[in-house]
Amino acid sequence: MLFKGQNFAKHILALGFAAVFATGCGQQNSNGDTTQKTASAPADATTASGQQHFSSKAGEITIPENLTRIAALDGNALATILALGAEDKVVAVSKGTVLPKALQQFADKQFIDAGSAKEANLERVASSQPEVIFINGRMENQVQALKDIAPTYFLDVDYNNQFPSFKQQTLNIAKMVGKTAVAEEKLAKLEADIADIKSKTGDKTALIVMVNNNKLAAYGPHSRFGVIHDLFGFKPADDSIKVGLHGMAISPEFIAEKNPDYIFVIDRGAAITDQKDAAKKVLDNALVNKSNAAKNGNIVYLDSATWYLMTDSLLGMQTMTDEVSQALK
């Protein structure tokens, strides 16, 4: 229900603060990653009244068949909408968190600033009069307050079943914005590109490393960056890497000992600031340089903003796949 008139903002704020925050909204791995047991159910058939029904961790929603106003508070949903060519339907985004270069067009003043990726500004979200709101796990404590404003869809990919889960989320968004055919075409290309990479990885080992200032963390299969192993077929340089939101702390000695064929590097600082080349400086040391990856020129510095902020989007997944494919040439 949309509220209009002089007391609009006050009414919405009252709703927001009165709402009971949702807790325990999703299944959580012991490592802190929020995942769902299965991919979201496919959208039901459009009803005779011109409405669509969808299900996510935020519950059941009913939205218009022809959406015109979307509050995309999740960067992955926003990137998928852009890849589908439906960006004209977006009215609000989370500008309080740095937008990746690929999403910079949404920094324009025509899009309402709806807060940060961790905390939505409820009054601004309401002022955009959305027909649907997209969120992710970072806003889990605001689910009910956002649902009081408009139907809310919780974008969530299960890393234990990553590609099918990602694919279903993409198709759900595509159906919402009337771009199912576009999504199916892009997903088919993506699957073909992934299969091509897998045919080339063979017995190659890889280590996924995030550099955060001077700290190093490794990520293995079924993690937020686990596509390197789970989709692209690289063997883990170490099978014992624990899955966790922040990875497993490692050192240059660890890298030298595991001696991977490839090191894929995400620079957290470069992903969220204008900082450049910090990761290269950290990894340019005698121990890392002893590895096969360093000796063969296979330390791959990834587009960190894409890998850190758009991992579960259609645009992000294709960009990531292209990067890894290029690294194998």
Side-chain angles (χ1 to χ4, degrees):
M1 179 176 178
L2 298 177
F3 301 97
K4 296 181 180 180
Q6 237 176 0
N7 295 321
F8 171 75
K10 290 182 180 178
H11 188 91
I12 290 301
L13 280 175
L15 279 175
F17 290 120
V20 178
F21 283 171
T23 56
C25 201
Q27 177 192 13
Q28 288 221 343
N29 291 338
S30 59
N31 56 53
D33 279 344
T34 301
T35 62
Q36 58 186 51
K37 293 181 180 178
T38 58
S40 294
D44 296 338
T46 304
T47 66
S49 61
Q51 294 183 318
Q52 303 179 83
H53 304 287
F54 295 87
S55 175
S56 76
K57 283 174 60 177
E60 303 285 334
I61 62 171
T62 299
I63 60 175
E65 180 182 4
N66 298 307
L67 282 177
T68 59
R69 302 186 68 80
I70 297 172
L73 311 187
D74 168 61
N76 286 299
L78 184 61
T80 293
I81 290 168
L82 178 60
L84 293 171
E87 61 272 21
D88 60 317
K89 300 178 184 295
V90 177
V91 293
V93 300
S94 298
K95 298 183 187 180
T97 298
V98 176
L99 290 169
K101 185 177 180 181
L103 302 180
Q104 275 301 306
Q105 70 189 71
F106 295 104
D108 190 90
K109 63 182 180 181
Q110 77 178 79
F111 301 100
I112 290 174
D113 181 356
S116 73
K118 290 185 177 181
E119 185 174 4
N121 183 309
L122 300 176
E123 184 176 3
R124 292 178 188 171
V125 173
S127 72
S128 71
Q129 300 186 35
E131 294 166 323
V132 68
I133 302 169
F134 287 108
I135 64 169
N136 61 28
R138 292 179 176 180
M139 291 183 179
E140 204 159 15
N141 68 330
Q142 289 186 295
V143 169
Q144 188 57 55
L146 290 165
K147 287 171 68 173
D148 287 339
I149 296 171
T152 299
Y153 186 88
F154 193 125
L155 190 78
D156 185 43
V157 170
D158 180 358
Y159 293 141
N160 290 309
N161 188 35
Q162 186 167 16
F163 196 81
S165 179
F166 153 78
K167 184 176 180 179
Q168 188 59 65
Q169 295 287 358
T170 300
L171 289 171
N172 283 357
I173 294 173
K175 184 168 178 60
M176 290 184 199
V177 299
K179 297 286 186 178
T180 297
V182 176
E184 289 175 342
E185 181 180 350
K186 288 182 178 290
L187 286 167
K189 179 185 184 304
L190 185 56
E191 289 185 86
D193 290 346
I194 290 170
D196 181 62
I197 290 175
K198 289 185 73 172
S199 71
K200 298 174 182 177
T201 50
D203 292 327
K204 294 180 176 66
T205 61
L207 186 65
I208 309 162
V209 177
M210 178 161 20
V211 179
N212 185 10
N213 295 320
N214 293 320
K215 297 179 180 178
L216 305 178
Y219 291 79
H222 310 309
S223 70
R224 62 192 296 196
F225 308 122
V227 291
I228 293 292
H229 307 300
D230 303 330
L231 296 187
F232 302 141
F234 286 91
K235 294 184 178 301
D238 183 350
D239 290 321
S240 66
I241 295 174
K242 297 178 181 178
V243 178
L245 183 61
H246 302 293
M248 185 180 82
I250 62 168
S251 64
E253 287 83 0
F254 177 91
I255 296 174
E257 177 188 342
K258 301 305 176 183
N259 193 26
D261 296 318
Y262 282 78
I263 300 174
F264 291 96
V265 183
I266 298 127
D267 184 342
R268 183 179 181 276
I272 60 176
T273 69
D274 293 329
Q275 173 183 300
K276 294 181 180 179
D277 299 328
K280 290 183 179 180
K281 293 176 182 177
V282 172
L283 292 175
D284 184 14
N285 64 68
L287 287 167
V288 175
N289 289 336
K290 286 181 180 179
S291 68
N292 287 335
K295 291 176 182 177
N296 296 318
N298 290 330
I299 298 181
V300 183
Y301 292 90
L302 299 165
D303 179 350
S304 297
T306 296
W307 285 77
Y308 192 71
L309 300 171
M310 301 194 305
T311 316
D312 300 325
S313 70
L314 183 58
L315 177 61
M317 189 70 80
Q318 187 64 64
T319 301
M320 290 153 56
T321 301
D322 292 344
E323 275 196 292
V324 175
S325 178
Q326 187 63 38
L328 288 167
K329 291 182 178 178

